[in-house]
Amino acid sequence: LEYLLDRLRHDGHHQIALDLSRLAFLDAGGLRVFIRAHQNLCATGGTFVLTRPTCMVNRILAITGLDAALVIQ
């Protein structure tokens, strides 16, 4: 995922939305990928949006405080 997000950004995509509706597992490594994608896109004037997070993902984002730092729809 990290490679794909970097590739999209390098190919000129500045608006990236990631659908999380089927995500069954999320750990610190996944959170790091989200944070890095968000930081890299914001640094170039772009946006990174997490869409349709599951209840589990919403809970993890809330516990870590990332629900306030990332764009979630």
Side-chain angles (χ1 to χ4, degrees):
L1 177 61
E2 185 171 20
Y3 173 80
L4 176 61
L5 292 170
D6 282 342
R7 184 81 264 146
L8 288 169
R9 187 173 53 84
H10 287 295
D11 288 347
H13 298 274
H14 300 290
Q15 315 293 315
I16 298 176
L18 186 60
D19 181 353
L20 303 178
S21 63
R22 299 187 75 192
L23 186 64
F25 178 79
L26 179 62
D27 64 3
L31 293 173
R32 182 185 55 79
V33 171
F34 294 166
I35 294 166
R36 186 169 177 266
H38 172 74
Q39 290 172 336
N40 288 340
L41 284 164
C42 286
T44 59
T47 57
F48 179 66
V49 180
L50 301 174
T51 65
R52 301 174 52 192
T54 62
C55 291
M56 179 268 305
V57 171
N58 272 329
R59 186 166 186 263
I60 292 170
L61 293 172
I63 289 169
T64 59
L66 290 175
D67 59 337
L70 301 174
V71 179
I72 304 167
Q73 295 180 348

